[in-house]
Amino acid sequence: MTTSTVSVSRPSRLDLPIQGMTCAACASRIERVLKRLPGVDAQVNFATERASVQLGGDAAADAGAVIAAIRQAGFEVPDVRTELSIAGMTCAACASRLEKVLNRLPGVTATVNFATETAQLRYPPGAVEEAQIVAAVAGAGFTARLRGESARAEEKARKAAEWQAERNRFLVALLLTAPLVAQMPAMFFGSGGHDLIPRGWQWLLATPVQFWIGLRFYRGAWSALRGGGANMDVLVALGTSVAYGFSAVVTLLGRMDLHVYFEASAAIITLVLMGKLLEARAKARTSEALEALVRLQPRTAWVERDGTLREVPVASLSPGDRFVVRAGDSVPVDGVVRAGRSALDEAMLTGESLPVAKAEGDAVFAATVNGAGTLHCEATGVGSDTLLAGIIRLVEAAQGSKAPVQRLADQVAAVFVPVVVAIAVLTFFGGWWWTGQVTEALINAVAVLVIACPCALGLATPTAIMVGTGLGAQHGILVKNAEALERAERLSVLAVDKTGTLTEGRPEVTDVRPSPGSDRVRVLAWASALESASGHPLARAIVAAAGEVPVAQGVETVPGQGVRGQVEGRAVLVGSPAVLREAGVALREADVDALAAQGRTLVAVAVDGQLAGVIGVADPVRSTSVAAVARLQRAGIEVVMLTGDHPATARAVAGAVGISRFEAGVLPADKAKAVQALAADGHRVGMAGDGINDAPALAAADVSFAIGTGADVAVAAADITLMRSDLNGVADAVELSRATLAKIRQNLFFAFIYNILGIPLAAFGFLNPVVAGAAMALSSVSVVSNSLWLKRWRPSR
């Protein structure tokens, strides 16, 4: 057999994105570095953050050298990510073979998903062109189309047309096969019953089924063999051809003493087609959640022009445009409210059933539904930049990814067909030798070829992942990839941040204890002057309490260490009591202990090296945190709180929510070390935080959960993003992961046990080829149907 090869031509021009430039001098430096390469001319645009590189003749540097030079200069060239729709795959072996072909392209890392009929590729810019990728797919015997926002509707229409064509072919096959199958019951009453229909007529009925209706199997088998592999089409084509060919020869020779098996070859093809139709319909249902998200996007928007409201296509809106959301309308794009008050139903994005109040300055998101008020908004994100579009991209990526549990199935699928063919050959010669009956041995070999099905193995994992990730999106749980879903199932410890995770994240100043010679107003003024530059919830609370904020100079912020600066000519330091102690400032420990005992978060203020006062900030515990912690503990997950607060404050909050283990005084940089220490004890550790301040700890965890983050972070910050600011979302995600992985294991068990039992039964003559064909057709359908049962999952809360 030969393997498919694709010649890769050398690109003459590269258009490269560049990350890490901070000024025009960076762009100039990259240009100089690139122009030193032989045969290279380059222009770098700092505004667009792209480099246009012209490569000369054969002696010029190649794309790899260009990218290496940019990286050596201290900048980064992100990989290109491409998604293709693949047509022509018939089983998991096809996906496995195509994946190998694509991974042989220079620099390409590819994953092919049989269930979604997609291929996801990642490669350095310039390493390979899209036309070469499509050519590689064609060389393997399949067809590829680039996927995108505009291509989704075309892809859906194409699949619908293909399904209708397949259905029509199946109906024709059924009509031709029915008379052949109708005589099968008579076979049990003697050999004469086998020929109720004259053999010539049987041959006439079976021939179009074999070579017209069954042409797809011959094409698929030829493409697989030409590409150096084998798939389900090889098994079906080989098995039915043997049965049909044997019957044709017997008929031509007039051997009335031998049976003919035209009904077997025709029935097998008809049943396999039926199975493919049912499988396609069931597979379409696995992506219903994603389709529902796509349908949420409104097609038109109302804008105010010349004093009147006009309805315009959503595609015509740009950032900065003003639009109006009337009562009952869906928000067309992401934006911010500039006038009006209302409440929006955001359940389609967050899973939250209660409407969310919106007023001037609040963010609104595309596809959410307005209540009774009218909102005048300014567009901030349109087209592919909306939160909804980001969620759709994330769900698509997750559905196209592979879980580690699928590796065994992939390994089996890669060698499945050759092994089955070998077993069929052994069955034929072994049966012939043992029984002396060539006909019986031949039919048993056909049954082996027909009953074996790599499709069920290929569908077991991705169909469950598709349903699980779609369900997650409906409940405000965005899973980045299948691997994260699998790791979440095995969590034993969850580390949680306090502020914004266990608490509301909306702290308020409750106490100010000034030192002698100072007062409340001055303490708040000094603190707010420095904190006004920060977006931390504590800083916002202090600024809100101060009212008027003085101007500060030379402000220096060190995360977790406090803020320094000059206010009205005096040196001011704002931070936790521990930070001021390290700076040599003497504290009034009685005030510190009293406020901490009440569960207050403490902010101390020093002026010219002397304590000015201590501010107590209260951040109420979320009403749902107690129940969420209890749910996680019932699920066998220990909850550990990590916070930079005073130990007494941490103890009060931990006690209020039912957490027995906590670490206080932990700086942001040290939270990652705390997570690593938990992992070193043999735990599978998850980390739940806001996705920004807790980034190092989130990265250190086995699974990271970003809770209640904004639109930009919501699609990229963590392994699993929870659209609601509620720790219950973590418990929901763990339950969903466990339900999905349980379904995957059930599917893999069904797929393996089906083949482990079916192939020996066929080899020893216990299965008629027609029955074997029906069983093979239904095996894939049963696996997909089992995945669809996952749609009944609901969070236990």
Side-chain angles (χ1 to χ4, degrees):
M1 291 184 291
T2 60
T3 57
S4 173
T5 59
V6 178
S7 62
V8 179
S9 63
R10 174 192 178 88
S12 60
R13 184 180 177 279
L14 301 175
D15 184 27
L16 305 177
I18 298 179
Q19 293 178 343
M21 292 191 294
T22 57
C23 64
C26 297
S28 300
R29 181 154 59 94
I30 296 172
E31 275 189 11
R32 289 195 301 271
V33 167
L34 293 179
K35 288 179 178 178
R36 293 192 197 113
L37 297 174
V40 171
D41 185 36
Q43 291 182 338
V44 181
N45 190 317
F46 172 59
T48 61
E49 297 185 313
R50 302 189 76 85
S52 178
V53 183
Q54 193 72 33
L55 303 179
D58 293 338
D62 60 11
V66 171
I67 294 171
I70 294 173
R71 288 173 174 167
Q72 191 172 1
F75 305 93
E76 188 56 50
V77 180
D79 285 345
V80 176
R81 294 180 181 271
T82 301
E83 188 173 12
L84 302 174
S85 294
I86 306 296
M89 293 192 297
T90 58
C91 68
C94 296
S96 178
R97 179 164 56 87
L98 180 58
E99 196 170 279
K100 291 177 182 177
V101 169
L102 291 175
N103 280 315
R104 283 199 290 265
L105 294 173
V108 171
T109 301
T111 300
V112 179
N113 191 314
F114 171 54
T116 60
E117 296 181 311
T118 59
Q120 294 185 352
L121 299 89
R122 189 180 75 250
Y123 52 90
V128 65
E129 295 181 356
E130 289 176 347
Q132 295 159 351
I133 296 172
V134 173
V137 175
F142 310 100
T143 57
R145 294 180 178 85
L146 291 173
R147 295 195 83 196
E149 296 295 325
S150 60
R152 188 180 287 111
E154 295 177 9
E155 184 69 15
K156 187 176 180 181
R158 181 185 65 81
K159 287 186 176 182
E162 287 180 355
W163 189 89
Q164 289 179 350
E166 287 292 306
R167 182 197 59 187
N168 294 338
R169 280 191 287 269
F170 165 70
L171 292 176
V172 173
L174 185 63
L175 184 65
L176 295 172
T177 305
L180 297 173
V181 175
Q183 65 181 352
M184 290 182 64
M187 286 189 286
F188 297 103
F189 301 100
S191 60
H194 196 275
D195 293 326
L196 291 177
I197 299 175
R199 291 187 175 186
W201 284 101
Q202 291 186 48
W203 192 4
L204 187 64
L205 289 170
T207 299
V209 175
Q210 185 70 35
F211 296 110
W212 174 47
I213 305 297
L215 181 62
R216 57 168 288 170
F217 300 112
Y218 287 103
R219 284 175 174 165
W222 169 245
S223 296
L225 294 173
R226 186 185 63 182
N231 61 4
M232 184 204 75
D233 293 326
V234 172
L235 298 178
V236 174
L238 189 57
T240 58
S241 295
V242 168
Y244 175 89
F246 175 81
S247 303
V249 170
V250 167
T251 303
L252 278 173
L253 296 178
R255 293 290 303 272
M256 300 302 294
D257 58 317
L258 296 175
H259 287 303
V260 292
Y261 296 95
F262 289 118
E263 82 287 336
S265 63
I268 288 167
I269 289 175
T270 303
L271 288 168
V272 172
L273 280 179
M274 180 190 71
K276 284 295 176 186
L277 285 172
L278 294 174
E279 177 189 313
R281 178 58 58 88
K283 281 164 62 177
R285 289 185 60 200
T286 63
S287 60
E288 282 179 355
L290 181 59
E291 289 295 325
L293 286 175
V294 173
R295 288 194 298 269
L296 289 174
Q297 178 70 57
R299 297 287 178 262
T300 60
W302 289 94
V303 298
E304 189 171 343
R305 291 176 182 170
D306 301 326
T308 61
L309 281 180
R310 296 183 181 179
E311 192 174 18
V312 300
V314 167
S316 68
L317 291 181
S318 301
D321 287 350
R322 296 295 183 102
F323 61 92
V324 178
V325 185
R326 304 174 305 174
D329 282 354
S330 294
V331 179
V333 295
D334 289 0
V336 60
V337 178
R338 293 307 182 200
R341 301 179 68 88
S342 187
L344 267 61
D345 180 1
E346 298 183 345
M348 63 290 299
L349 297 181
T350 67
E352 176 58 66
S353 58
L354 297 177
V356 180
K358 300 291 181 179
E360 185 176 350
D362 290 336
V364 295
F365 302 108
T368 55
V369 180
N370 189 22
T374 298
L375 297 175
H376 295 259
C377 307
E378 178 182 334
T380 57
V382 301
S384 61
D385 295 327
T386 64
L387 176 59
L388 176 64
I391 291 173
I392 291 171
R393 285 195 299 272
L394 190 68
V395 174
E396 284 183 326
Q399 291 185 343
S401 63
K402 285 188 178 181
V405 72
Q406 192 177 347
R407 288 173 187 155
L408 176 61
D410 287 345
Q411 292 168 356
V412 172
V415 299
F416 186 88
V417 175
V419 169
V420 170
V421 172
I423 293 174
V425 171
L426 288 174
T427 299
F428 174 68
F429 287 107
W432 189 4
W433 172 78
W434 182 260
T435 65
Q437 298 290 326
V438 65
T439 304
E440 183 179 340
L442 185 67
I443 292 306
N444 291 344
V446 170
V448 169
L449 291 171
V450 171
I451 196 165
C453 182
C455 299
L457 287 172
L459 292 169
T461 299
T463 51
I465 293 294
M466 289 172 70
V467 176
T469 52
L471 267 176
Q474 289 180 332
H475 289 85
I477 304 166
L478 304 182
V479 183
K480 181 174 286 187
N481 52 50
E483 186 175 357
L485 199 65
E486 184 171 337
R487 290 199 306 265
E489 184 221 17
R490 299 194 295 267
L491 284 186
S492 57
V493 171
L494 178 70
V496 298
D497 180 43
K498 177 181 74 68
T499 303
T501 302
L502 293 172
T503 63
E504 292 285 355
R506 295 193 296 270
E508 295 180 353
V509 172
T510 56
D511 304 89
V512 179
R513 300 207 175 181
S515 298
S518 184
D519 57 47
R520 174 189 174 92
V521 174
R522 276 193 284 182
V523 171
L524 286 173
W526 282 320
S528 63
L530 300 186
E531 296 283 21
S532 61
S534 172
H536 193 279
L538 293 181
R540 291 199 296 267
I542 291 172
V543 171
E548 294 185 8
V549 179
V551 177
Q553 290 84 32
V555 177
E556 179 186 356
T557 302
V558 182
Q561 299 289 330
V563 188
R564 300 175 183 274
Q566 298 286 325
V567 181
E568 298 174 350
R570 306 183 69 175
V572 179
L573 171 62
V574 179
S576 67
V579 169
L580 267 67
R581 289 192 192 98
E582 291 178 6
V585 178
L587 300 178
R588 294 161 58 90
E589 298 296 344
D591 289 344
V592 171
D593 293 340
L595 292 175
Q598 298 174 39
R600 303 288 191 261
T601 296
L602 306 180
V603 177
V605 182
V607 179
D608 295 331
Q610 300 295 317
L611 180 69
V614 178
I615 302 171
V617 182
D619 187 6
V621 171
R622 291 188 188 281
S623 59
T624 56
S625 292
V626 175
V629 169
R631 281 181 67 198
L632 289 164
Q633 291 170 342
R634 285 196 301 271
I637 299 174
E638 181 185 8
V639 182
V640 179
M641 185 179 76
L642 305 178
T643 178
D645 264 339
H646 189 281
T649 304
R651 186 176 297 108
V653 174
V657 298
I659 294 176
S660 58
R661 182 177 176 184
F662 64 89
E663 294 185 31
V666 182
L667 301 178
D670 294 331
K671 287 184 180 179
K673 296 178 182 177
V675 170
Q676 291 166 348
L678 291 170
D681 292 337
H683 295 293
R684 294 277 187 173
V685 184
M687 174 68 194
D690 63 11
I692 302 173
N693 296 332
D694 300 308
L698 290 168
D702 293 305
V703 186
S704 53
F705 301 87
I707 295 183
T709 55
D712 292 336
V713 180
V715 294
D719 295 319
I720 298 176
T721 298
L722 307 173
M723 299 300 293
R724 281 187 289 170
S725 300
D726 184 350
L727 194 61
N728 267 304
V730 177
D732 293 346
V734 171
E735 288 179 1
L736 177 62
S737 70
R738 292 179 177 179
T740 303
L741 267 294
K743 196 60 67 177
I744 288 173
R745 294 188 182 100
Q746 291 171 14
N747 287 347
L748 288 174
F749 173 79
F750 292 153
F752 277 113
I753 204 69
Y754 163 83
N755 286 291
I756 289 171
L757 294 179
I759 293 174
L761 287 173
F764 287 106
F766 293 107
L767 286 178
N768 179 283
V770 176
V771 175
M776 189 270 268
L778 294 176
S779 63
S780 299
V781 178
S782 64
V783 165
V784 180
S785 299
N786 189 50
S787 293
L788 289 173
W789 275 93
L790 184 60
K791 296 176 77 171
R792 300 164 61 93
W793 174 85
R794 294 293 182 272
S796 63
R797 62 189 171 90

